[in-house]
Each structure stands twice: as C-alpha cells, then as structure tokens.
Amino acid sequence: WIVQSVTAPLHRELDAAGRDLQLAGASLEKCRLAVETADASSGSCLMTASLDCTEILALAAAGHLQDALRKALVYDANMSRSAGRWQPLLVEQILLGLRPDGEADALPEDLLAEPIVASQLADSRLRLQLTAALLEHAVHDAA
C-alpha cells in the first residue's frame, strides 16, 4: 500500500503526459491535413520533384522569398517521400539564411516573425504550411 501511495502521483503525471502526447499527435495530424488541403486547393501539388534545390535557393537570394518558400515546401515533401526517410528541410535552410546579424541562435520558426520574412508572408495559408512543416520536422528530430 505504501508503494502505491508513493507512486500514485508519478502514475498521474505519466497519464497526463500520455494524454498531452496524444493531443499533440492529433494536432499535428490536423495541421498535416490542413496543409494537404491547402496544397490541393492552391495547385502547388502540380509542381513536380524536378524542382532544383539550387534554383529555389537562388530565388530566395534574389528576394523572391514567398515563391522560394512555396517551392521549398514542395521540394521538401517530395524529397522526404522519395528518400523514404526524414530529410533536412530546404525551408529551414532558406529561413536560417535570413537570420539577422547577431541572432545566430534563432530558430527557423522564430524567423517567420522577423520583419523581412513576415512582410513577404502575407499569405496566411503559406505561413500555416511553413509552421506545420517546421513543427513536423521538429517532432521527427525529437523522436
């Protein structure tokens, strides 16, 4: 009886953590479905795997951030599917390239709020897609 009373709080915490993980998984699945729906309605799914990484990076470097990030999302999705394993994100590479001086520790998801990025991401659907991709990648990295 003493062991049960001592371990009861731990069991409650583990149960709560399990519920939190289930909720996070369900939220991630909802984000994934929202992104897929947005992709289908926006026509971005018509792009093929023939997108070239260097061309996308060149778009970003030329200041065409919104177009580069849209294409990077498709590129990342195609690369992770074709490789059959989780790949580093081109989206992350583009965002990390935009870090302001002195912010070497800034995370890609934090950079979405930076003025240089936010001003070009007026499209909330694209922002949602980027956030979902970064979240999914973070979950896979943590696993």
Side-chain angles (χ1 to χ4, degrees):
W1 180 83
I2 294 174
V3 172
Q4 287 179 339
S5 65
V6 170
T7 60
L10 178 60
H11 284 283
R12 283 191 298 273
E13 288 181 34
L14 288 172
D15 290 342
R19 286 190 299 274
D20 289 345
L21 286 172
Q22 285 178 332
L23 287 172
S27 294
L28 185 58
E29 182 63 18
K30 287 179 184 177
C31 285
R32 187 187 61 74
L33 291 173
V35 169
E36 286 178 1
T37 301
D39 279 345
S41 67
S42 70
S44 63
C45 59
L46 300 176
M47 290 188 237
T48 66
S50 65
L51 291 172
D52 182 15
C53 176
T54 55
E55 291 173 13
I56 296 170
L57 290 172
L59 273 173
H64 303 287
L65 188 59
Q66 191 167 0
D67 194 30
L69 288 170
R70 281 186 202 282
K71 290 180 180 187
L73 281 169
V74 175
Y75 178 88
D76 288 338
N78 289 333
M79 291 305 292
S80 64
R81 277 189 224 123
S82 67
R85 60 185 169 79
W86 200 250
Q87 298 286 319
L89 291 178
L90 183 57
V91 164
E92 282 186 348
Q93 187 176 349
I94 291 170
L95 290 171
L96 290 175
L98 299 171
R99 284 185 291 210
D101 292 337
E103 293 189 31
D105 294 335
L107 298 172
E109 52 272 19
D110 296 334
L111 296 168
L112 290 174
E114 286 292 324
I116 190 171
V117 178
S119 67
Q120 293 193 44
L121 294 181
D123 180 359
S124 60
R125 182 175 21 207
L126 177 58
R127 186 183 301 268
L128 172 66
Q129 291 170 325
L130 292 166
T131 303
L134 292 168
L135 175 61
E136 187 176 15
H137 193 258
V139 168
H140 281 282
D141 276 352

